[in-house]
Amino acid sequence: MDLYFTHLYEVLRIEPSASHMPGKCSATEPQPQPRGYPSLKAPFPVYTHLCSAVSAWPAGLGTWGSALFAPDSFLWVPGSFLPDPVSLSPEFGCPVSCTAQVHGTSSAKISPGQSGMASYPAQTHVAVILPAAWSPGRAWLLDYCKSPSKATCNFVCDCRDCSDEAQCGHHGALPIPGTPFTCGFEQDTCGWQDISTSGYSWLRDRAGAMLEGPGPHSDHTLGTDLGWYMAVGTHRGKEASIAALRSPVLQEAAPTCELRLWYHAASGDVAELRLELTHGTETLTLWKSAGPWGPSWQELVVTTGRIQGDFQVTFSATRNVTHKGAVAVDDVEFWGCGLPAPQASCPLGHHQCQNKACIEPHQLCDREDNCGDGSDEDLLTCSHHMATDFESGLGSWNHSEGWTRNHSAGGPEDLAWPNRDHSWNSAQGMFLVSMAKSGTPAVLSSPEFQASGSHNCSLIFYYYLHGSEVGCLQLLLQMQGPSAPQDPVLLRKRCGELGAAWVRDRVDIRSAHPFQILLAGETGPGGVVGLDDLILSDHCRTAPGRSDLQSLPTGPWVQALRPQPSSFHPQEVCELGYLSCGDLCVPPEQLCDFQEQCPEGEDEQECGTTDFEAATAGGWEDASVGQLQWQRVAAQESRGPGRDARGAAAGHFLSLQKAWGQLRPEARALTSPLGPSGPNCELHMAYYFHSDPQGFLALVVLQGSSRELVWQAPSSSTGDWTVDKVLLGARHRPFRLEFVSLVDWDSPGQQGAGVDNVTMRDCSPTATTEKDQEVSCNFERNTCGWHMGHFTDAHWRRIQSHGPGYDHTTGQGFFMLLDPTNPPARGRGAHLLTGPQTPATPKECLSFWYHLYGPQIGTLRLIMRRDGGEDTLLWSRSGTHGNRWHQAWATLHHQLEPSTKYQLLFEGLRDGYHGTMGLDDVAVRPGPCWAPRHCSFEDSACGFSTGGQGLWKRQANASGHALWGPQTDHTTDTAQGHYMVVDTSPIALPQGHVASLTSEEHQPLAQPTCLSFWYHLSLHNPGTLRVHVEEGKRRQVFSVYGHGGLAWRLGSVDVQAGQAWRVVFEALAAGMEHSYIALDDLSFQDGPCPRQGSCDFESGLCGWSRLAWPGLGRYSWDWSGGDTPSRYPLPTVDHTLGTEAGHFAFFETSVLGPGGQAAWLRSEPLPATTASCLRFWYHMGFPEHFYKGELRVLLSSAQGQLAVWGKGGHLRHQWLEVQVEVTSTEEFQIVFEATLGGQPALGPIALDDVEYLAGQHCQQPALSQGGMTASMMVPALVGGALLFLILLVLLGLGGRHWLQKGGCPFRSNKDVAAPGFDNILFNADGVTLPAPATSSS
């Protein structure tokens, strides 16, 4: 069995992400990307770096002929199985010697310890024939590129760099064996072209530089806004338009060729999507859909069938007047499309084609061109087979009842109708099709055949099941003769949704009686059953002297397919799809909902729970289309342990078996639609699994278009029965469970898999426990009443601290963590929610501790969900909040009615993969909460009251049509962000009138606390903004008056209160038209307020804003301390305290990657100055002689940006001081910019003790242990530089003279970087030298 294993995630088509991209070599840790899986234990070795794997060949080969096995001389044939290159040894299966087959000459034998090769004629092509234990018929070949017309775009890398496929839908190095030719559009379009004829057209785009209109939040390849895809934006025209994206010219697709792609089209944005294949003069519609589509990326999988010659694929989107037409496409993949390569010889038992390719014997005469030249299907080879393709009739199958002979071009406009036949892969080809309803099957019968005797009569046939989950095709044997059984024998039954593809099957019949073959098909609403290419072997001989039967014999099997009237309903029958039990007709939506409606529980009997002793197998149906399948078998007849999970040899279980399909190789078994389920729902089971590391056994949950891996058997399973359980949790209806497995069936060792004693426990959504009502939770023992939602494949997990400071409760306990890289997740969000709760008081206070840490973490939200009502956003935070726990709280407002139920939901929405979210110590108490310590106005008005007039309003300017207020908020610096604003125009607030904004009560403050806020005044004088503290009586603590500008400004006051108090903001109008006052980002920080532009970072970032760089990625600075465990390398001590307990601002540059991204830390607006001093301490950690990060100081004003200092650093275990003279003729902001000078490298840039000394010149300090200042006098600098240059010239002349004399024993081609003035930065205000380091490494 020629299996080429792919990674579990690719086989299952689930959503992995946040991992390392294979095929990318880097000296540093690669960027998290979705194609590798670093955090999840892979079921077999995965080559995440193909180039490093190739470079490892010499070491792995040892003395196995180093000249012959030179790694740059060989080409890997795609589709073959590659062993671990560093472990090529007899243990793997390599023999004591390997043979090099020389075309046209005798073989040369190379043994261990031998190197070099025999003398071969010029132009000889050498191929190393791999051992038989490896994939049959595959070899390493010398690099040999055919002529362009034959080698290009044929899904085979004929050139070692795969350049012949670079513009053919594949971009990159040689694909790892068993993986597809793929294009993620990250470098270019891979040859795909827009052929639209209007302004509605395709462009290569990404979310960070989006076309106008709606679009995906991130691409599918990387899962971030840095990734690329092909997109068509909204089209403003009123006429109907089609945007068409066409592939390059491809050629020679194998019969197994499968095209997969991911598309994004929110419902209502496009009228129709269509995928077409053009071959010669014919265009086939492979797929079309008018929606509805979900809000996320969705996968499309279609089979192309065998295509001879050139062809192209076109993906098109249609818009009309009502549909704007925004859609995107990403990750176009071609699976199994390459034809087999010629081989010098074939493995034992295989057939060699005329073109020297090798195929398996069962692929002969199956009406598929597996060789690529048609020699496996020629008339001479297949002359003894009797094939019926329905092109000119029914052939020998001349007794049809309910089947219709038709073709795609003449079929109805039905989405489930076959788009082509199997014989010719054409819409003009004929096939049999039926839409017979359940209970009235369409029947096709063969002529009567003789008893088969010692040889089997084999039938190969192709069938089509699409459009309905209840569609079925049955193959039965009706034996003839007086002593033969009267009832037909069921030989094969296939049910369910198998997709729009023709699937091969084969039945071998051995009968002592004459017999007739019956094919019966039925389906549900919208479903179609099809048949094509019925091929009988030469041992199927028509019975002599027997006329064809004129009618189908009736029997119990026919009656069993028809609905039987219930004894309780003698005059009527339940509707189609309903279950009759007792006096009830149970509708389909109540079947398998884990709540019994029938007295005997019949409605829950075929819902996954089973010991497989009954023939119905608990409702599990095989849905395999490849060379493996799931079957209920007797234990003694299986490959497994020889007994079932209870130890009974006569028992049954679900076992992996050989199959005859030609499509995807893995075996799949599905339940009926289930749900809804409760949060405690578990699946218990026994399983056995015996396989090489390449195989796997897994459980997947299918819900809508998503596939979630929830369990995987360990690769080290012994093959004996093992008991395990899987938490399924609360899920919406419908969802289905799927067992998926893949093993190398034909390899030595009796590989196999089996499942038994499957039980669904505690799955009722109405079942509750005392634990489910526990909202207050510290997560030390369990998750209390909180459970994971299944919003996407990302999940919250309860984990134990990995070190001090992680957990908030004890410092070493448990908490809830959302890490999108462990396990890898592609979904953007994860839910943690309670079960339905009954409110106890009208107001409750929910408090919790949260941890948002990482340069690209995203948003954490708290939501209240009421039965039958809309979700209410209670609280949210975005971006990193430093490596520490923060407390937050929100007031829950309830309506005390008996039927009122609510749920609480924490939703984590990631921006990328760099960062984690944590939750701990959730508590609920009666009564309202104190006013929050931080308010960004993103989720609500934070309890502020606007008085009777209600003049202050919370708003955003996303539409661009706000009548007043700033264009962007301060929190997000986008038009989508919210703030509070008051219109101070005379018509809204007459001159001298006041509009108040009053907070809820704040808790008493025993120590001085800094209250900071950001305000925005209009260009026209709005009047005065006053701030009062109300503690029994009101006192004014802040006032600002006058014209504003384009920037948000920081206001801060010291507050101390011995009792509950409120803060009141007042806008006193000046009577000017088009004027306003806006507020945003109120917060409290322990300790007194720092000076303007200064911060020691002990309590936070002070007035410095970690706004994301206005480009792609949106990374931002972070805040941490040396004693807090971090996933990023950090300084061990801060500068302020000089201890691990101190804090600092930092940025980890390795997340940036190449491409010019940066991160900004920006000060508040500062007034113009003729002479001021910026003093700060920085710390860098980059390896010597390697790529380095850069830290720059920019002055940003209305005139632009000016770099006043910069430094690219290496690893130095110390803090260095810098002083920068600052001059600006207008208002400005200081920006610290962290960027990367080259490829990604692990290394932080940290800042501490930033001081802005307004109106003061920088002073030259004395040398200290930490370093010296970077500011020097220009005359001294120039004089020292001149002296140094003179010395360099003299040394250069002397060295040249010495070299000419032969004094140098050798010469190096490498440039040596000499120490010196290599990092002088010429700025607008002089020349600055960085301070020397007292130690470096």
Side-chain angles (χ1 to χ4, degrees):
M1 177 171 161
D2 195 6
L3 286 179
Y4 305 111
F5 294 100
T6 58
H7 193 283
L8 171 65
Y9 281 85
E10 295 292 356
V11 168
L12 302 186
R13 304 200 303 280
I14 15 188
E15 291 286 300
S17 61
S19 47
H20 299 74
M21 175 76 75
K24 177 180 178 182
C25 284
S26 173
T28 66
E29 181 182 352
Q31 295 298 295
Q33 298 183 15
R35 287 298 172 197
Y37 314 93
S39 302
L40 181 67
K41 183 177 180 182
F44 58 89
V46 179
Y47 301 100
T48 56
H49 294 82
L50 184 61
C51 39
S52 63
V54 172
S55 67
W57 270 96
L61 291 169
T63 56
W64 285 82
S66 57
L68 176 63
F69 287 91
D72 60 349
S73 301
F74 289 89
L75 169 68
W76 181 249
V77 180
S80 49
F81 172 66
L82 175 64
D84 188 347
V86 298
S87 60
L88 184 64
S89 63
E91 288 80 10
F92 185 82
C94 187
V96 179
S97 62
C98 293
T99 300
Q101 178 70 43
V102 184
H103 293 250
T105 68
S106 60
S107 299
K109 194 171 186 180
I110 301 174
S111 300
Q114 180 180 353
S115 62
M117 67 172 78
S119 299
Y120 296 118
Q123 305 300 321
T124 296
H125 304 140
V126 180
V128 180
I129 306 303
L130 299 181
W134 296 357
S135 185
R138 302 290 177 173
W140 281 85
L141 302 175
L142 280 175
D143 183 31
Y144 175 62
C145 295
K146 303 176 184 176
S147 62
S149 61
K150 295 182 179 180
T152 303
C153 302
N154 63 347
F155 307 106
V156 176
C157 288
D158 300 287
C159 304
R160 73 168 62 93
D161 60 354
C162 212
S163 57
D164 54 312
E165 304 295 315
Q167 292 299 313
C168 311
H170 173 68
H171 198 324
L174 293 171
I176 297 171
T179 58
F181 278 66
T182 180
C183 179
F185 304 108
E186 296 306 311
Q187 284 77 35
D188 54 35
T189 64
C190 308
W192 288 77
Q193 294 181 336
D194 174 68
I195 58 169
S196 309
T197 57
S198 68
Y200 186 48
S201 58
W202 292 89
L203 291 174
R204 182 170 167 264
D205 192 22
R206 54 182 169 181
M210 194 185 306
L211 294 168
E212 60 178 282
H217 174 82
S218 61
D219 81 324
H220 183 264
T221 311
L222 306 182
T224 73
D225 62 357
L226 291 173
W228 293 85
Y229 47 75
M230 297 299 294
V232 54
T234 56
H235 182 43
R236 295 181 178 178
K238 295 183 179 180
E239 74 283 358
S241 304
I242 298 177
L245 181 67
R246 176 169 290 176
S247 74
V249 176
L250 308 170
Q251 57 180 335
E252 300 298 338
T256 57
C257 184
E258 189 175 75
L259 170 61
R260 304 180 186 178
L261 60 85
W262 292 83
Y263 66 94
H264 187 287
S267 295
D269 284 343
V270 64
E272 184 186 69
L273 298 177
R274 185 182 291 256
L275 184 69
E276 297 175 317
L277 186 147
T278 301
H279 173 224
T281 59
E282 184 176 19
T283 296
L284 294 173
T285 300
L286 301 182
W287 171 83
K288 63 180 179 180
S289 174
W293 301 287
S296 59
W297 287 97
Q298 299 181 68
E299 188 184 31
L300 170 63
V301 181
V302 296
T303 57
T304 67
R306 174 74 173 102
I307 305 292
Q308 296 181 353
D310 297 344
F311 68 96
Q312 287 181 288
V313 177
T314 304
F315 188 88
S316 60
T318 303
R319 73 165 297 278
N320 54 30
V321 177
T322 59
H323 296 79
K324 300 302 182 183
V327 65
V329 170
D330 203 2
D331 288 333
V332 181
E333 300 175 343
F334 291 94
W335 287 74
C337 296
L339 291 168
Q343 305 296 328
S345 62
C346 294
L348 183 65
H350 283 59
H351 172 79
Q352 189 159 37
C353 311
Q354 292 181 7
N355 61 4
K356 302 301 181 182
C358 298
I359 64 172
E360 296 187 62
H362 67 79
Q363 294 177 308
L364 284 170
C365 303
D366 65 347
R367 300 288 291 183
E368 288 197 333
D369 179 16
N370 299 289
C371 289
D373 62 355
S375 60
D376 56 323
E377 303 296 323
D378 61 36
L379 293 177
L380 181 61
T381 303
C382 306
S383 59
H384 299 295
H385 290 72
M386 183 166 53
T388 302
D389 59 11
F390 304 111
E391 297 303 320
S392 57
L394 298 180
S396 60
W397 301 77
N398 56 355
H399 291 283
S400 175
E401 179 182 305
W403 292 99
T404 302
R405 183 171 156 267
N406 211 323
H407 51 78
S408 302
E413 287 293 326
D414 190 296
L415 295 178
W417 192 265
N419 47 50
R420 58 199 186 280
D421 77 329
H422 177 264
S423 309
W424 302 101
N425 201 26
S426 168
Q428 305 301 323
M430 305 298 292
F431 47 81
L432 283 190
V433 67
S434 175
M435 301 176 71
K437 301 307 178 185
S438 178
T440 57
V443 180
L444 179 70
S445 59
S446 73
E448 184 179 331
F449 296 107
Q450 300 179 37
S452 53
S454 60
H455 297 283
N456 291 340
C457 166
S458 298
L459 169 66
I460 297 175
F461 61 99
Y462 291 83
Y463 61 95
Y464 181 96
L465 285 173
H466 184 39
S468 173
E469 298 288 352
V470 299
C472 280
L473 178 72
Q474 299 181 75
L475 187 147
L476 303 105
L477 189 68
Q478 177 68 64
M479 288 175 279
Q480 308 292 334
S483 61
Q486 295 300 307
D487 296 334
V489 178
L490 179 65
L491 299 183
R492 184 78 82 245
K493 181 179 180 181
R494 294 304 309 273
C495 296
E497 169 62 75
L498 299 184
W502 291 99
V503 182
R504 180 180 62 193
D505 204 347
R506 170 175 165 171
V507 176
D508 296 324
I509 302 171
R510 178 172 294 185
S511 173
H513 304 276
F515 62 90
Q516 186 181 17
I517 300 172
L518 309 175
L519 287 164
E522 60 183 0
T523 187
V528 174
V529 183
L531 284 172
D532 202 1
D533 286 331
L534 311 183
I535 307 156
L536 291 160
S537 69
D538 52 354
H539 296 293
C540 302
R541 297 184 175 90
T542 307
R546 298 280 299 187
S547 61
D548 295 336
L549 297 178
Q550 300 302 314
S551 62
L552 179 73
T554 60
W557 72 275
V558 178
Q559 298 298 326
L561 293 177
R562 299 191 176 118
Q564 300 299 310
S566 168
S567 59
F568 295 95
H569 291 272
Q571 303 299 326
E572 58 186 52
V573 178
C574 293
E575 296 180 34
L576 186 64
Y578 282 59
L579 175 68
S580 175
C581 64
D583 292 327
L584 300 175
C585 284
V586 182
E589 62 271 15
Q590 293 182 2
L591 300 178
C592 299
D593 64 352
F594 306 112
Q595 300 179 73
E596 293 185 357
Q597 276 83 30
C598 296
E600 302 297 326
E602 298 94 325
D603 55 317
E604 303 297 321
Q605 287 182 355
E606 306 298 329
C607 305
T609 295
T610 180
D611 58 5
F612 295 102
E613 295 308 314
T616 55
W620 291 89
E621 290 278 1
D622 179 64
S624 311
V625 293
Q627 297 186 36
L628 290 173
Q629 64 182 337
W630 288 103
Q631 280 188 336
R632 173 185 168 270
V633 300
Q636 65 266 28
E637 299 174 2
S638 72
R639 272 192 172 190
R643 51 188 172 79
D644 68 358
R646 292 187 174 92
H652 295 77
F653 58 86
L654 192 65
S655 176
L656 213 56
Q657 298 291 308
K658 176 80 172 180
W660 300 103
Q662 84 284 22
L663 301 178
R664 293 179 294 277
E666 69 278 4
R668 303 172 184 268
L670 285 162
T671 65
S672 303
L674 309 175
S677 61
N680 302 311
C681 182
E682 289 182 336
L683 180 139
H684 294 244
M685 64 178 170
Y687 72 93
Y688 84 85
F689 177 58
H690 178 62
S691 171
D692 286 340
Q694 299 92 341
F696 60 84
L697 170 64
L699 179 67
V700 177
V701 176
L702 282 68
Q703 194 158 12
S705 60
S706 68
R707 305 174 61 87
E708 180 189 348
L709 174 68
V710 294
W711 174 85
Q712 181 184 349
S715 58
S716 59
S717 299
T718 62
D720 202 358
W721 288 107
T722 303
V723 177
D724 206 347
K725 65 179 180 179
V726 184
L727 177 64
L728 301 176
R731 298 179 182 271
H732 298 292
R733 182 182 180 90
F735 70 90
R736 307 178 81 186
L737 302 179
E738 180 182 60
F739 279 115
V740 189
S741 187
L742 179 63
V743 301
D744 190 350
W745 186 265
D746 294 328
S747 70
Q750 295 289 302
Q751 298 186 30
V755 178
D756 200 2
N757 292 348
V758 178
T759 306
M760 309 285 288
R761 297 184 183 175
D762 302 323
C763 290
S764 172
T766 60
T768 59
T769 64
E770 185 177 346
K771 181 175 72 73
D772 295 332
Q773 304 304 313
E774 297 177 2
V775 176
S776 297
C777 191
N778 60 14
F779 304 107
E780 294 304 311
R781 292 180 300 171
N782 50 46
T783 60
C784 309
W786 296 86
H787 62 271
M788 279 69 75
H790 298 277
F791 176 51
T792 68
D793 61 338
H795 296 299
W796 291 90
R797 295 181 301 124
R798 176 179 171 265
I799 68 165
Q800 190 171 15
S801 304
H802 301 297
Y806 269 33
D807 162 63
H808 177 262
T809 311
T810 65
Q812 297 180 345
F814 291 82
F815 63 101
M816 300 302 296
L817 177 73
L818 172 57
D819 182 354
T821 68
N822 185 24
R826 184 67 59 86
R828 188 182 174 222
H831 284 174
L832 181 69
L833 66 162
T834 67
Q837 304 293 317
T838 303
T841 61
K843 290 185 180 181
E844 293 179 304
C845 179
L846 175 75
S847 65
F848 55 94
W849 291 80
Y850 68 94
H851 193 283
L852 288 175
Y853 179 51
Q856 201 188 31
I857 181 54
T859 300
L860 176 63
R861 308 200 305 169
L862 173 64
I863 296 169
M864 177 183 283
R865 178 171 292 171
R866 293 186 177 90
D867 290 343
E870 294 184 357
D871 291 351
T872 302
L873 180 62
L874 302 177
W875 174 93
S876 70
R877 293 290 182 272
S878 296
T880 181
H881 279 58
N883 193 12
R884 64 175 292 186
W885 288 96
H886 302 269
Q887 188 179 22
W889 49 81
T891 300
L892 312 179
H893 298 270
H894 303 300
Q895 295 178 353
L896 296 182
E897 297 178 3
S899 60
T900 301
K901 298 278 189 180
Y902 73 94
Q903 287 179 281
L904 295 175
L905 165 67
F906 281 106
E907 180 182 56
L909 300 172
R910 67 172 180 85
D911 280 343
Y913 293 102
H914 302 289
T916 58
M917 301 183 187
L919 283 170
D920 204 359
D921 293 335
V922 181
V924 176
R925 63 169 176 82
C929 300
W930 294 109
R933 289 178 60 91
H934 175 83
C935 180
S936 64
F937 300 110
E938 292 306 308
D939 47 89
S940 68
C942 303
F944 275 91
S945 60
T946 59
Q949 296 175 302
L951 297 175
W952 285 90
K953 298 186 181 298
R954 174 178 168 267
Q955 74 170 33
N957 195 26
S959 65
H961 302 306
L963 298 178
W964 60 83
Q967 296 299 308
T968 63
D969 76 328
H970 178 264
T971 312
T972 67
D973 197 29
T974 66
Q976 287 74 33
H978 291 80
Y979 50 81
M980 297 296 294
V981 65
V982 58
D983 181 8
T984 55
S985 302
I987 191 171
L989 191 65
Q991 182 177 2
H993 285 226
V994 174
S996 298
L997 185 67
T998 306
S999 74
E1000 294 178 321
E1001 283 193 336
H1002 288 271
Q1003 59 188 7
L1005 300 172
Q1007 301 296 328
T1009 301
C1010 179
L1011 165 63
S1012 63
F1013 54 91
W1014 291 82
Y1015 63 92
H1016 197 291
L1017 306 180
S1018 59
L1019 289 172
H1020 299 93
N1021 180 13
T1024 304
L1025 172 64
R1026 300 187 300 212
V1027 182
H1028 302 268
V1029 170
E1030 194 173 79
E1031 184 187 5
K1033 61 180 180 179
R1034 180 179 295 191
R1035 55 187 172 90
Q1036 182 174 313
V1037 294
F1038 179 89
S1039 178
V1040 62
Y1041 169 82
H1043 299 278
L1046 299 177
W1048 286 91
R1049 304 170 189 280
L1050 178 65
S1052 59
V1053 293
D1054 292 325
V1055 178
Q1056 189 170 0
Q1059 60 185 17
W1061 61 282
R1062 302 175 188 266
V1063 60
V1064 181
F1065 294 91
E1066 286 185 347
L1068 177 62
M1072 295 293 294
E1073 294 287 350
H1074 308 296
S1075 62
Y1076 61 84
I1077 296 176
L1079 287 172
D1080 203 1
D1081 285 335
L1082 283 68
S1083 64
F1084 293 88
Q1085 244 178 318
D1086 295 334
C1089 296
R1091 287 199 308 267
Q1092 191 178 38
S1094 302
C1095 191
D1096 62 8
F1097 301 109
E1098 290 309 308
S1099 299
L1101 296 180
C1102 310
W1104 291 83
S1105 302
R1106 49 187 163 207
L1107 293 178
W1109 188 60
L1112 303 172
R1114 300 193 68 81
Y1115 301 103
S1116 61
W1117 283 74
D1118 219 322
W1119 177 84
S1120 187
D1123 64 342
T1124 310
S1126 171
R1127 63 191 302 173
Y1128 308 105
L1130 297 176
T1132 56
V1133 298
D1134 80 326
H1135 178 264
T1136 310
L1137 305 179
T1139 68
E1140 294 181 349
H1143 294 82
F1144 45 81
F1146 81 98
F1147 184 77
E1148 171 49 56
T1149 58
S1150 67
V1151 303
L1152 291 176
Q1157 286 84 43
W1160 283 354
L1161 187 65
R1162 192 166 67 185
S1163 75
E1164 60 190 280
L1166 301 171
T1169 178
T1170 57
S1172 295
C1173 182
L1174 173 66
R1175 183 167 61 192
F1176 61 93
W1177 294 78
Y1178 75 94
H1179 186 290
M1180 290 192 181
F1182 294 89
E1184 196 83 32
H1185 309 304
F1186 201 68
Y1187 299 114
K1188 56 188 179 181
E1190 293 181 293
L1191 176 64
R1192 298 204 303 166
V1193 177
L1194 313 175
L1195 300 185
S1196 178
S1197 66
Q1199 295 183 358
Q1201 292 182 348
L1202 176 67
V1204 296
W1205 181 86
K1207 173 66 173 148
H1210 294 303
L1211 185 63
R1212 301 184 177 187
H1213 299 292
Q1214 62 183 139
W1215 288 92
L1216 302 176
E1217 185 185 13
V1218 174
Q1219 294 190 29
V1220 179
E1221 291 280 352
V1222 175
T1223 302
S1224 179
T1225 58
E1226 59 181 355
E1227 186 180 63
F1228 67 98
Q1229 291 174 284
I1230 300 171
V1231 178
F1232 286 103
E1233 181 187 75
T1235 186
L1236 195 63
Q1239 293 293 324
L1242 288 174
I1245 297 176
L1247 286 173
D1248 205 359
D1249 292 334
V1250 178
E1251 287 186 277
Y1252 177 69
L1253 306 174
Q1256 301 182 30
H1257 287 281
C1258 294
Q1259 303 296 321
Q1260 182 69 33
L1263 285 174
S1264 64
Q1265 183 179 359
M1268 63 182 296
T1269 68
S1271 180
M1272 300 184 67
M1273 299 299 294
V1274 173
L1277 170 64
V1278 174
L1282 288 175
L1283 178 61
F1284 185 74
L1285 289 174
I1286 293 172
L1287 290 174
L1288 282 179
V1289 171
L1290 293 176
L1291 287 173
L1293 291 175
R1296 179 181 179 186
H1297 178 72
W1298 180 65
L1299 287 173
Q1300 290 174 346
K1301 295 277 186 182
C1304 183
F1306 63 88
R1307 295 193 179 190
S1308 172
N1309 292 326
K1310 295 183 179 180
D1311 295 329
V1312 179
F1317 293 78
D1318 61 333
N1319 48 13
I1320 296 176
L1321 182 67
F1322 292 85
N1323 294 320
D1325 52 355
V1327 182
T1328 305
L1329 282 179
T1334 57
S1335 66
S1336 65
S1337 62

